[in-house]
Amino acid sequence: MDRVITRRKLLLTAGAATLLAGCEKSPAVRFFLGAMDEWNQKVQAALFSPTRLARELPPSDTTPEDAFPSYFISDEMPFPPDGWSLKVGGLVAKPRLFSLDDLKRAPRTDLRVRHHCVEGWSAVAAWHGVQVSEIAKMAGLDPRVRFVEFKSFDSNYWSSWDLESALHPQTILAYGMNGHPLYPDHGAPLRLYSPVKLGYKSVKYLTEVNFLPDSTGGYWENQGYEWFAGI
Ligand SMILES: Nc1nc2c(c(=O)[nH]1)N[C@H]1C(S)=C(S)[C@@H](COP(=O)(O)O)O[C@H]1N2
Ligand SMILES: [Mo]
């Protein structure tokens, strides 16, 4: 079994103990759960460290692209509007629009990692793009920024992230996959990609990145999926 999944099981178990805390009875149980909670938080802090890197994989691990599933909530494959650009805004000193060429001129990051979908499949691809931290540096964040919102032109699919995870060195705005430009099935022209969150946090078909003081939920998150969704 994959190490990452094992970690998730551990957290789910710890999470169940936390839930129990709401209806606990005896002082002994309360003591136990208090200790569990403290332990749980330490475990989470260690597992979700903003600097812990996901393992990068060799080319031989790459999933054949036609076996890499493709998801979008629209009835038909989403295509970018004419004159597509990425809007970067929120509480930033320099809100602006980025063309794809602007992004390609920024420092490039490449990573080959495993993708984990909450539905149970996983697959490996190489992704090419710009770190969200690089975008944040260019935009100049206000100290009140705590969250980052990612919006798309796929029937308004969106997600929001905690700032630390968004600034993780492996969280990128990807314009390429497996050495070629991103194709429409995987989010062309630009998608969020990160190996530190479950698949549904990596918004495809990006239109906007907003640095905000508050969380704005997400398409699946607002339907009961875990908001943090760290792996
Ligand atoms: N815009 C948009 N982004 C999205 C989704 C979507 O339906 N629409 N699905 C998410 C889910 S559940 C997963 S697992 C990944 C899948 O990425 P892929 O289609 O490149 O495999 O995209 C995520 N990003
Ligand atoms: Mo997914």
Side-chain angles (χ1 to χ4, degrees):
M1 168 161 298
D2 196 296
R3 192 166 118 260
V4 176
I5 300 301
T6 310
R7 287 175 169 197
R8 288 197 62 71
K9 280 213 168 138
L10 175 68
L11 284 173
L12 290 174
T13 312
T18 310
L19 272 181
L20 258 180
C23 55
E24 101 270 5
K25 300 281 184 299
S26 76
V29 169
R30 210 172 298 140
F31 175 80
F32 171 73
L33 288 171
M36 278 295 287
D37 214 33
E38 199 176 303
W39 174 81
N40 185 17
Q41 279 177 27
K42 278 186 191 145
V43 169
Q44 293 220 16
L47 293 186
F48 297 138
S49 156
T51 52
R52 185 175 62 84
L53 296 178
R55 191 153 56 102
E56 297 205 24
L57 301 166
S60 56
D61 281 357
T62 307
T63 302
E65 236 175 87
D66 56 3
F68 201 123
S70 162
Y71 277 79
F72 41 83
I73 58 165
S74 297
D75 293 336
E76 318 237 310
M77 177 99 67
F79 286 95
D82 283 348
W84 176 93
S85 62
L86 179 76
K87 181 172 167 277
V88 173
L91 294 177
V92 296
K94 290 182 246 168
R96 65 172 273 200
L97 299 176
F98 285 86
S99 68
L100 210 51
D101 283 342
D102 292 335
L103 293 165
K104 286 181 180 164
R105 275 192 294 269
R108 166 174 165 147
T109 295
D110 303 284
L111 37 109
R112 186 179 297 96
V113 286
R114 185 169 289 278
H115 178 100
H116 296 271
C117 173
V118 72
E119 293 191 296
W121 58 270
S122 81
V124 176
W127 302 95
H128 321 291
V130 185
Q131 290 170 323
V132 174
S133 64
E134 197 62 46
I135 302 293
K137 214 190 294 170
M138 290 188 246
L141 302 195
D142 182 284
R144 288 168 294 174
V145 171
R146 288 285 174 276
F147 297 89
V148 189
E149 175 186 61
F150 300 93
K151 292 179 153 183
S152 80
F153 57 83
D154 172 19
S155 305
N156 296 321
Y157 187 99
W158 88 103
S159 183
S160 58
W161 289 45
D162 57 293
L163 182 62
E164 279 194 328
S165 301
L167 300 183
H168 184 284
Q170 292 173 312
T171 301
I172 66 173
L173 302 184
Y175 47 70
M177 177 187 189
N178 293 333
H180 59 72
L182 206 57
Y183 297 149
D185 54 346
H186 294 295
L190 187 72
R191 72 174 298 168
L192 180 60
Y193 198 82
S194 178
V196 304
K197 298 279 190 194
L198 285 173
Y200 58 85
K201 301 294 288 185
S202 282
V203 177
K204 300 160 66 177
Y205 314 108
L206 283 176
T207 52
E208 287 185 33
V209 175
N210 294 310
F211 294 92
L212 303 173
D214 299 300
S215 163
T216 58
Y219 178 83
W220 288 118
E221 295 90 329
N222 286 13
Q223 298 176 56
Y225 283 85
E226 205 192 337
W227 178 80
F228 192 89
I231 40 181

